[in-house]
Amino acid sequence: MPTISLSGIAKSYGGGDHAVKNLDLLVPDGAFMCLLGPSGCGKTTTLRMIAGLEQPTAGTIAVGDRVLDSVEQGLYVPPEKRGMGLVFQNYALWPHLSVRENVEFGLRMRKVPADRRRARAEAALEMVHVADAMDRYPSQLSGGQQQRVALARMLAVDPAVLLLDEPLSNLDARLRLEMRAELKRIHEESGATIIFVTHDQLEALTMATHVAVMNKGELQQLAAPMDMYGRPANRFVAEFVGSPPMAIVEVGPARTELAGSLLRHVTSRPGNHAPAAIGIRPEALRLDEPPVSAWSETAQVEAVLPAGSSWTVRLRVLDTELYAVSYTPVEARPGDTVTCWTDQMHLFDGEGTRLAAWNAVEVSA
């Protein structure tokens, strides 16, 4: 399928606030696009407009040269004629039909012959690894298996675009991990374009080829996952993407001692000007011997929180609390004095926009 394009898309309900505002978005053919953002940011509304379940109040949605929605032209293509498959947050399986019959349902509606229905249903179930349960009923399956069946039902009709509305949110942690790997594998094997709605940044970073971060109905940044992580466009993206979140230190007239220390280091570099705020990711804050070129300060350890493969350390740096994440064992204990340092900072202007690389301490991707 050609590129999906959204141009000037807006959606409001009853003349009130806009759920989506002036959205321009391109989804390349074969992409795994994640719409990421907090609840109420407009990501599900955007997905539903692409599916045809909602109509925009302004703008155009097109697939290549084919217009699906255009308020200006008065065009609207119904969902069943868009060639897209939609998987909801709840599984929506027919309880009185077997797994095979559930997967065949969409094919039956399209009047596909019985032998072809059966073959395509079995192939789809094989792809999601639940072919051994094809004669069971949904009530006999686990939540993860039911989610796989819902995916198989969509894959069986061979949609050019697969739309997923937070389909993993009802699963436990282990099943979510399994399904992330399954969705990535399905995308690689099928070559379908996938648009996935989630508020979970880990899902977006681990599965997507493209991530679109939204907030209050507006697109904040569209980028590859690690580009977005390493070079967030603004403070919202910087704080939303990453766990633990990036620490933002305000640099104003009433700045803290920590802000003053960071500012002196940043402005000591040729060509750098004073930012309005400085951001440091916890994993970029180190506790070993600092290089000469890095910013460093003494800090007091307030807590050490082991998490198996990593250690989160709460520090008191001058007059400010910061968190550091270490992937090697931390020997320090609460009350100890250590040296913390970083050579990776994000600088933001007064509008919250990340400053250009030429006058910032650039972060490697």
Side-chain angles (χ1 to χ4, degrees):
M1 174 172 280
T3 298
I4 301 171
S5 63
L6 285 71
S7 303
I9 291 295
K11 178 66 178 179
S12 62
Y13 297 94
D17 292 338
H18 279 77
V20 176
K21 305 174 189 176
N22 196 31
L23 175 63
D24 294 324
L25 183 67
L26 292 177
V27 184
D29 180 26
F32 194 138
M33 172 78 75
C34 271
L35 303 181
L36 175 68
S39 296
C41 72
K43 56 188 184 294
T44 293
T45 301
T46 299
L47 189 82
R48 290 174 64 85
M49 286 190 288
I50 295 171
L53 301 178
E54 301 265 6
Q55 290 183 260
T57 50
T60 300
I61 299 174
V63 176
D65 295 329
R66 183 190 180 204
V67 176
L68 302 181
D69 271 299
S70 175
V71 177
E72 184 178 313
Q73 300 176 45
L75 294 177
Y76 168 70
V77 176
E80 66 273 13
K81 295 184 179 179
R82 297 195 176 201
M84 301 179 183
L86 180 61
V87 178
F88 294 98
Q89 184 174 341
N90 54 9
Y91 316 127
L93 300 177
W94 296 106
H96 63 289
L97 299 180
S98 69
V99 166
R100 189 207 317 270
E101 290 168 334
N102 266 284
V103 175
E104 289 182 3
F105 186 81
L107 299 170
R108 187 184 298 274
M109 294 297 99
R110 289 165 172 77
K111 297 181 169 45
V112 174
D115 56 339
R116 289 179 55 200
R117 285 203 311 266
R118 185 182 184 91
R120 286 168 64 173
E122 290 179 0
L125 288 167
E126 287 282 357
M127 182 174 284
V128 298
H129 297 169
V130 285
D132 57 345
M134 66 176 64
D135 295 320
R136 299 182 194 170
Y137 289 87
S139 61
Q140 298 172 300
L141 304 180
S142 68
Q145 288 174 315
Q146 290 184 53
Q147 186 62 76
R148 291 169 191 247
V149 173
L151 279 170
R153 182 176 55 192
M154 287 296 99
L155 292 169
V157 300
D158 195 24
V161 178
L162 189 58
L163 308 175
L164 309 175
D165 186 10
E166 300 202 51
L168 310 186
S169 59
N170 292 332
L171 306 182
D172 62 35
R174 181 173 179 178
L175 286 174
R176 285 169 75 94
L177 181 61
E178 279 186 23
M179 286 307 302
R180 285 176 198 147
E182 283 300 305
L183 284 171
K184 196 158 188 173
R185 179 183 63 81
I186 287 167
H187 174 250
E188 291 170 355
E189 291 183 3
S190 68
T193 300
I194 297 178
I195 304 177
F196 185 103
V197 164
T198 183
H199 63 271
D200 187 327
Q201 52 159 315
L202 185 59
E203 289 181 358
L205 293 176
T206 54
M207 294 191 300
T209 59
H210 303 71
V211 179
V213 176
M214 298 182 68
N215 185 43
K216 297 180 180 178
E218 297 181 316
L219 180 66
Q220 302 295 309
Q221 187 174 2
L222 172 62
M226 295 315 295
D227 285 344
M228 178 170 294
Y229 183 82
R231 296 176 176 83
N234 55 43
R235 284 183 56 168
F236 176 82
V237 177
E239 294 182 88
F240 190 79
V241 178
S243 181
M246 180 185 291
I248 301 292
V249 180
E250 303 286 350
V251 181
R255 67 178 67 106
T256 61
E257 291 181 46
L258 174 62
S261 175
L262 290 168
L263 185 61
R264 284 191 294 274
H265 177 77
V266 168
T267 55
S268 69
R269 299 197 176 195
N272 280 5
H273 302 288
I278 299 173
I280 302 174
R281 290 204 182 278
E283 57 271 29
L285 192 61
R286 306 283 298 277
L287 302 179
D288 50 10
E289 187 66 26
V292 175
S293 60
W295 168 85
S296 65
E297 281 287 355
T298 57
Q300 186 173 45
V301 177
E302 293 189 337
V304 178
L305 309 171
S309 61
S310 64
W311 288 257
T312 300
V313 184
R314 189 175 73 202
L315 302 167
R316 175 63 56 175
V317 186
L318 299 177
D319 55 354
T320 305
E321 183 180 275
L322 291 179
Y323 284 87
V325 172
S326 173
Y327 297 99
T328 58
V330 174
E331 304 298 334
R333 295 291 179 264
D336 289 353
T337 298
V338 297
T339 297
C340 67
W341 65 272
T342 187
D343 57 2
Q344 298 181 359
M345 299 181 192
H346 299 261
L347 310 183
F348 302 93
D349 65 16
E351 301 298 317
T353 302
R354 184 175 182 270
L355 295 172
W358 65 269
N359 67 344
V361 181
E362 185 60 5
V363 180
S364 60

